[in-house]
Amino acid sequence: MNFTDEALQKYKQDRFPRSARYDPAWVHQNEMGPNVLWLTEALTQVMEIKAGMRVLDLGCGTAMSSIFLAREFGAQVWATDLWISATDNLKRIRDAGLEDRVFPIHAEAHALPFAEEFFDAIVSLDSYHYFGTDVHYLESCLLKLLKPRCQIGIVSPASPERIPAPPPTCLGKGWYWMNTVDWWRDLWSRTPGLDLEHAELLPHGWDMWMQWHEFLEASGPRNRPGGVKEFDQLRADNARYLGFVRMVGNRCSNQPGEPTA
Ligand SMILES: C[S@@+](CC[C@H](N)C(=O)[O-])C[C@H]1O[C@@H](n2cnc3c(N)ncnc32)[C@H](O)[C@@H]1O
């Protein structure tokens, strides 16, 4: 693929210097939504990922975020997804030369095939809103896979303010599932076993989303049929309702004899 200077300017964001080094053709070809490398880099700005950590990347899609975490931070990553097969992801992981550090898993988020307290960190990028809205989900399905005093972090679409019903005409009805940043903060704040460390509207999230569409627009035919409509809606929204939540929590210690919060 050949990219115009205009497209490359949109792709290379000063805020995301690590992502800027990745081949835009690779990201374009494997994208499933807003540039997941930017979302992953934004999460790692507030969450610690270190060499040798065992990381669960839940809802990893085409595993670009898993490859990024392994390459940039030296983590071992279990790239876990439902819609994309493990075989498909293994090809991408092999091509990236990371077969020894990124392990593709096909699984549903409510039936994860991992031992309790196996992971040093859990991340979920542009995915958690598909399976994590049930008030019991984090406590009953996910938190137990994390070692005590370790972090879980997500970046997912969320709105700064509640989308009214009926929604504004320019947004259409397709965003009915979107919760506010306050809604997400409240959900994790009252989850037993979790200390919420960080919950905010991702700074410049709407701009980032727009810039991704501007890059795609300047790069020829799109992979995702719904992309053009999403771009129009983002433009019309002008950052009122469309953005991202960035949230990090820490699994409380459950060691016998340790004081609880
Ligand atoms: C919009 S895609 C994002 C993929 C990737 N994280 C990215 O940003 O490119 C949402 C992903 O969530 C995953 N997903 C949705 N529901 C899931 C579930 N119940 N269990 C596991 N993964 C799920 C899908 O398989 C899909 O790859």
Side-chain angles (χ1 to χ4, degrees):
M1 267 183 112
N2 288 324
F3 296 99
T4 60
D5 288 347
E6 185 200 347
L8 289 176
Q9 217 178 348
K10 298 291 175 191
Y11 180 77
K12 291 183 193 287
Q13 300 279 317
D14 290 345
R15 262 173 303 157
F16 303 122
R18 291 176 184 269
S19 307
R21 296 197 293 261
Y22 285 69
D23 178 5
W26 182 73
V27 185
H28 186 286
Q29 188 185 344
N30 294 304
E31 63 106 30
M32 294 178 75
N35 185 346
V36 71
L37 299 190
W38 293 345
L39 301 185
T40 313
E41 192 163 352
L43 183 61
T44 59
Q45 288 163 357
V46 297
M47 175 177 181
E48 191 169 49
I49 303 290
K50 291 195 292 196
M53 270 186 168
R54 289 180 185 164
V55 178
L56 169 60
D57 183 1
L58 185 53
C60 69
T62 51
M64 289 195 288
S65 48
S66 310
I67 288 168
F68 181 89
L69 291 170
R71 186 173 282 154
E72 297 298 320
F73 300 97
Q76 296 185 84
V77 187
W78 277 258
T80 304
D81 200 67
L82 183 63
W83 303 344
I84 307 294
S85 75
T87 306
D88 197 70
N89 273 337
L90 182 60
K91 285 189 205 127
R92 247 179 307 278
I93 293 163
R94 270 194 188 137
D95 289 347
L98 288 166
E99 209 179 340
D100 60 335
R101 256 186 286 162
V102 182
F103 314 110
I105 304 285
H106 183 249
E108 204 284 321
H110 295 80
L112 295 168
F114 304 111
E116 293 186 9
E117 302 191 2
F118 183 71
F119 292 107
D120 301 295
I122 298 176
V123 301
S124 188
L125 291 317
D126 190 20
S127 298
Y128 195 82
H129 54 288
Y130 286 97
F131 46 78
T133 53
D134 183 295
V135 71
H136 300 292
Y137 175 73
L138 185 54
E139 188 197 11
S140 58
C141 297
L142 201 52
L143 218 44
K144 62 188 175 190
L145 305 183
L146 194 58
K147 292 176 188 164
R149 297 179 298 278
C150 287
Q151 290 178 310
I152 172 169
I154 66 168
V155 177
S156 260
S159 45
E161 63 176 287
R162 196 169 163 275
I163 299 176
T169 321
C170 65
L171 267 192
K173 292 183 182 157
W175 299 96
Y176 68 91
W177 50 270
M178 194 182 260
N179 291 300
T180 63
V181 172
D182 287 344
W183 184 94
W184 280 107
R185 182 185 295 111
D186 178 62
L187 180 70
W188 276 24
S189 303
R190 57 204 172 97
T191 297
L194 187 81
D195 286 332
L196 187 63
E197 292 182 342
H198 189 101
E200 64 170 348
L201 180 71
L202 181 68
H204 310 292
W206 176 87
D207 306 73
M208 192 183 86
W209 206 341
M210 277 294 288
Q211 273 152 14
W212 181 242
H213 276 291
E214 285 162 2
F215 162 73
L216 294 176
E217 199 67 9
S219 306
R222 295 197 177 232
N223 297 332
R224 284 182 299 127
V228 175
K229 189 165 140 202
E230 187 177 284
F231 188 24
D232 290 342
Q233 291 171 339
L234 269 166
R235 204 186 280 118
D237 175 62
N238 199 23
R240 177 150 189 201
Y241 296 114
L242 303 181
F244 297 91
V245 62
R246 175 167 66 175
M247 204 156 62
V248 178
N250 197 303
R251 183 176 172 187
C252 303
S253 166
N254 62 356
Q255 302 302 306
E258 286 198 13
T260 50

